[in-house]
Amino acid sequence: MITIKEVDSTNTFLKNTLSNSKPLPEGTVIMAESQFAGRGQQQNKWNSEAGKNLTFSVLLNPTFLAVSNQFDLTRVVSLGVHSALEPLLGGKLKIKWPNDIYYADKKLGGILIENLVQGSQIKQSVIGIGLNINQEIFPDWVPNPVSVKQILQQDYDLRTLLSEICSHIESYYLNLKAGKVDFVRKSYLSRLYWLNEVKNFKTVDGSFSGTIKTVRDNGLLVINNNGVEIEFSFKEIQFLNK
Ligand code: BTN
């Protein structure tokens, strides 16, 4: 485990270290107290007040995983984070497809996975995780945030949580590696936010109401709309809370 006081982004740092210098062992964790250019999904910035939250990246070498099954890694990581926090936060904690960590209707954390692909295999995977732990005030531009402190009115030790999260990710990862892919997929589905509930969604064609039925092996989200099942990729669909 490497802790850095300040870095642009732990994902960028880990990727640069891998391409510039020595190989790092699988399971290397880089944690930053503060990131000045933290990155989120879809070119978003990731906000985190210095020293208050978990912002870290983990290196995995899932060479056993075909690129076509890369969503299983998303499942493993989301499940690891979820299982580590569930004893603390209970049943309102869910995984919002594809890989947000939600508490009730608010975002507690997010995951940014960057894979180095060679042929049809994933050679290296840089897994960035940002979780709101002890932060109490968020800037206006952050959509829908919540922290563990806001939920439980208590500060949490970041290192203890980090080691819990890493061991849960490891355990799901080893299950996947051992071929227990059905277990991983079922576990993911059973923790999914809005599963089997009638909700509103938005696409480029407008909004509609529908029910999340499942997630395909390859990660596409399946929503039933008036008896018709439609598959969506991440960029194609937005969840509407109101
Ligand atoms: C999201 O948009 O939901 C994904 C957020 C991922 C943030 C983490 S913080 C540690 C790692 N380094 C980054 O720059 N991003 C990820």
Side-chain angles (χ1 to χ4, degrees):
M1 227 271 295
I2 303 165
T3 312
I4 325 176
K5 244 192 144 30
E6 195 181 47
V7 71
D8 48 356
S9 145
T10 54
N11 265 37
T12 310
F13 179 85
L14 188 51
K15 285 199 296 180
N16 288 343
T17 310
L18 289 166
S19 60
N20 295 339
S21 49
K22 57 235 157 232
L24 293 168
E26 180 166 40
T28 297
V29 179
I30 313 269
M31 174 186 168
E33 280 179 29
S34 123
Q35 298 186 123
F36 54 84
R39 294 186 290 114
Q41 305 260 7
Q42 298 185 314
Q43 273 79 53
N44 289 325
K45 290 188 287 177
W46 184 254
N47 164 269
S48 177
E49 199 180 322
K52 299 260 171 159
N53 302 310
L54 281 174
T55 48
F56 64 100
S57 300
V58 183
L59 175 68
L60 291 177
N61 302 132
T63 47
F64 62 90
L65 197 65
V67 179
S68 54
N69 286 332
Q70 59 181 297
F71 197 77
D72 288 325
L73 200 59
T74 298
R75 290 181 172 97
V76 158
V77 178
S78 316
L79 280 167
V81 175
H82 183 277
S83 314
L85 295 175
E86 195 182 34
L88 221 61
L89 297 172
K92 285 188 184 167
L93 193 72
K94 297 279 179 187
I95 300 168
K96 183 183 174 209
W97 178 87
N99 56 7
D100 282 346
I101 304 299
Y102 258 54
Y103 181 83
D105 293 315
K106 297 198 159 190
K107 180 160 168 167
L108 189 80
I111 297 165
L112 178 68
I113 301 182
E114 298 182 282
N115 290 326
L116 175 71
V117 172
Q118 226 168 53
S120 60
Q121 276 187 329
I122 305 171
K123 224 187 135 214
Q124 277 171 337
S125 184
V126 171
I127 293 158
I129 301 174
L131 293 168
N132 304 325
I133 309 294
N134 297 322
Q135 183 163 339
E136 287 176 283
I137 298 162
F138 292 87
D140 290 343
W141 60 265
V142 181
N144 221 14
V146 70
S147 68
V148 175
K149 173 129 194 210
Q150 287 175 329
I151 300 164
L152 299 176
Q153 314 301 325
Q154 206 183 313
D155 273 303
Y156 278 84
D157 181 60
L158 298 180
R159 276 163 191 284
T160 312
L161 281 177
L162 175 63
S163 90
E164 282 289 310
I165 293 165
C166 290
S167 49
H168 280 86
I169 293 175
E170 182 180 22
S171 145
Y172 279 106
Y173 183 66
L174 293 177
N175 272 300
L176 182 66
K177 205 171 178 176
K180 296 188 183 140
V181 60
D182 282 350
F183 164 72
V184 169
R185 290 177 183 170
K186 281 195 182 110
S187 305
Y188 174 86
L189 200 62
S190 71
R191 289 156 177 80
L192 208 62
Y193 178 71
W194 285 9
L195 181 71
N196 290 326
E197 296 175 38
V198 182
K199 295 288 180 184
N200 294 318
F201 300 89
K202 194 176 146 194
T203 68
V204 281
D205 302 324
S207 47
F208 69 96
S209 105
T211 309
I212 297 177
K213 297 315 283 182
T214 192
V215 174
R216 295 274 183 249
D217 294 354
N218 64 7
L220 292 180
L221 184 70
V222 179
I223 301 181
N224 185 305
N225 172 228
N226 294 325
V228 183
E229 291 200 337
I230 316 172
E231 294 179 353
F232 295 95
S233 69
F234 182 44
K235 286 180 187 144
E236 290 171 341
I237 185 110
Q238 235 182 293
F239 290 41
L240 289 181
N241 274 88
K242 279 277 165 303

